[in-house]
Amino acid sequence: MEVIIRPDAEAASDLVARIIAAEIRAKPSCVLGLATGRTMDRVYQRLRTMQLDFSRCRTFNLDEYVGLPPSDPHSYRAYMNNALFRHVNIDLANTHVPDGMAKNLDAECRRYEAEIEHVGGIDLQILGIGKTGHIGFNEPLSAFRSRTRVKALSPTTTAQNAAFFGGAENVPRRAITMGVGTIMDCRRCVLLATGDSKAEIVAKAVEGPITSMISATALQLQRRCVVVVDEEAAARLTQQEYYRWIFENEPEWEPFRDS
Ligand code: F6R
């Protein structure tokens, strides 16, 4: 795992957008794993302005609420269409979000896994992190080998997303989410966290002991994982000096230093 610290949320989001852009330019038919949420807003805003060719890209989103149709403005399908897909030249048929309305949810989860396998797996997975340490909706005690499945949202996550639904009582209680194991199988992943509300969970996820109580700690075992944080989200990390040195000196980060 590598940690990159940028001065603020703008610069951190910009770096993640540039990492995605570099992937698309290097491999136009790449398979991207995408996340939704407040943290991702800036990344998609930035991507929209970069004049990238998405025509051969395939995308798979991490999760979707159970019971929300794509037409519901709170669904993650609607989020993705509004935040990115309708602004770029992606073929909607190549964009995948689990179907939270499926009659047979278990079959839908198996279908989603099979689709990811069919395209040869995810090249670059983008992740946010919730206050419980979830990646996707992998709440505490999610098995590290778990695959796409239905997961009950924790009270902390329900509270985190209550504002979008006009109150915690309106937040769907369950979601389809890629499993921790599904995420771990990607070739490369980038986790973005910004703001002081994420400082404590980022420190636990990156520098704490590996535990299924905090799904993001599984990423310590991922072969190529970069955690991009702003100063606020980095505040509780103990090895900041080392992380800063890496970004300033390691050749792989050279093309990204000028922002
Ligand atoms: C969303 C997802 C979640 C969010 C996380 C952070 O698709 O998978 O793990 O990334 O809950 O959400 P924000 O960015 O709203 O703090």
Side-chain angles (χ1 to χ4, degrees):
M1 187 184 261
E2 273 184 344
V3 179
I4 302 299
I5 304 174
R6 305 303 296 132
D8 52 30
E10 199 66 44
S13 312
D14 187 65
L15 175 60
V16 173
R18 289 173 70 179
I19 292 171
I20 298 169
E23 177 75 27
I24 295 171
R25 289 190 184 113
K27 185 179 176 188
S29 63
C30 65
V31 180
L32 299 174
L34 298 177
T36 60
R38 275 162 283 223
T39 316
M40 295 302 147
D41 288 343
R42 282 196 186 86
V43 175
Y44 297 133
Q45 267 165 28
R46 184 79 183 93
L47 275 180
R48 273 147 47 180
T49 68
M50 293 175 104
Q51 261 138 44
L52 292 161
D53 181 7
F54 282 86
S55 60
R56 292 172 60 204
C57 279
R58 279 80 47 89
T59 67
F60 286 85
N61 267 78
L62 284 164
D63 39 25
E64 179 60 283
Y65 291 110
V66 167
L68 295 194
S71 56
D72 187 304
H74 299 117
S75 71
Y76 284 165
R77 162 53 78 179
Y79 174 101
M80 286 312 304
N81 287 352
N82 293 331
L84 183 67
F85 297 154
R86 72 173 48 159
H87 304 278
V88 296
N89 69 335
I90 201 157
D91 181 349
L92 274 185
N94 289 335
T95 69
H96 305 268
V97 180
D99 178 4
M101 295 296 286
K103 284 207 177 63
N104 183 338
L105 292 169
D106 290 341
E108 168 61 9
C109 294
R110 284 193 298 275
R111 185 196 65 79
Y112 204 66
E113 283 283 329
E115 290 254 14
I116 294 172
E117 208 181 308
H118 178 72
V119 298
I122 291 170
D123 292 307
L124 175 62
Q125 174 69 57
I126 306 302
L127 299 164
I129 185 170
K131 286 189 185 144
T132 60
H134 69 209
I135 46 177
F137 273 136
N138 290 288
E139 299 287 34
L141 296 184
S142 290
F144 282 2
R145 298 180 67 183
S146 53
R147 313 304 302 187
T148 301
R149 72 214 181 290
V150 174
K151 198 71 194 157
L153 305 189
S154 71
T156 306
T157 298
T158 307
Q160 185 190 306
N161 291 340
F164 295 119
F165 290 87
E169 66 281 8
N170 302 324
V171 181
R173 298 305 308 264
R174 299 153 80 222
I176 294 180
T177 179
M178 283 187 200
V180 180
T182 320
I183 294 168
M184 294 288 281
D185 282 351
C186 69
R187 286 181 195 95
R188 186 156 70 109
C189 63
V190 175
L191 184 148
L192 173 64
T194 57
D196 53 9
S197 68
K198 298 286 171 74
E200 195 182 330
I201 197 64
V202 163
K204 284 183 181 161
V206 172
E207 295 182 342
I210 295 174
T211 167
S212 65
M213 279 297 285
I214 300 173
S215 296
T217 61
L219 299 173
Q220 295 176 27
L221 303 171
Q222 217 280 340
R223 280 160 294 189
R224 262 186 99 191
C225 179
V226 177
V227 174
V228 178
V229 284
D230 64 357
E231 289 287 353
E232 289 184 358
R236 305 281 284 269
L237 293 168
T238 65
Q239 302 294 310
Q240 290 181 38
E241 195 189 331
Y242 174 54
Y243 307 146
R244 288 180 211 285
W245 191 93
I246 287 177
F247 187 69
E248 293 308 328
N249 294 280
E250 287 296 323
E252 72 167 296
W253 294 109
E254 206 273 318
F256 298 97
R257 268 181 226 134
D258 58 354
S259 63

